[in-house]
Amino acid sequence: MQRYGNQSRESGVVAYDIDPGRIVVQFRNGDRYLYTEDSAGAANIARMHELARAGRGLSTFISQHAHDRYERKITTHKKDP
């Protein structure tokens, strides 16, 4: 995952991973969501790619345009110490 630039210093996004037609976004609370062209629309994914690379506006865009349009939540399993 790439560290999100967080130019505003207020973003809920901390990291992202871009592949053609999709983006995985990790939020401050550790939750990761996969957004795809099928789930959120090609125009929204293209814009999310731009915002992720710019390090500004991704969290707001997701809240306003793609909030619940993710394909799936990615769960990570923590190993016991």
Side-chain angles (χ1 to χ4, degrees):
M1 305 251 339
Q2 295 261 359
R3 183 181 194 114
Y4 182 63
N6 194 8
Q7 302 295 324
S8 71
R9 304 280 186 234
E10 298 175 7
S11 182
V13 174
V14 295
Y16 65 92
D17 192 20
I18 291 176
D19 286 311
R22 55 194 282 158
I23 184 170
V24 175
V25 179
Q26 181 175 342
F27 293 92
R28 194 179 307 150
N29 66 2
D31 290 345
R32 290 185 195 178
Y33 293 88
L34 168 64
Y35 295 89
T36 66
E37 288 180 350
D38 288 339
S39 69
N44 284 338
I45 296 300
R47 185 67 178 141
M48 290 166 76
H49 284 192
E50 292 172 5
L51 295 169
R53 288 184 179 114
R56 184 176 202 100
L58 182 57
S59 184
T60 299
F61 184 85
I62 290 171
S63 294
Q64 294 176 351
H65 302 283
H67 182 264
D68 57 355
R69 295 178 66 189
Y70 55 90
E71 184 167 304
R72 67 184 169 94
K73 182 178 179 179
I74 300 170
T75 58
T76 56
H77 300 284
K78 295 181 181 177
K79 294 182 180 180
D80 291 328

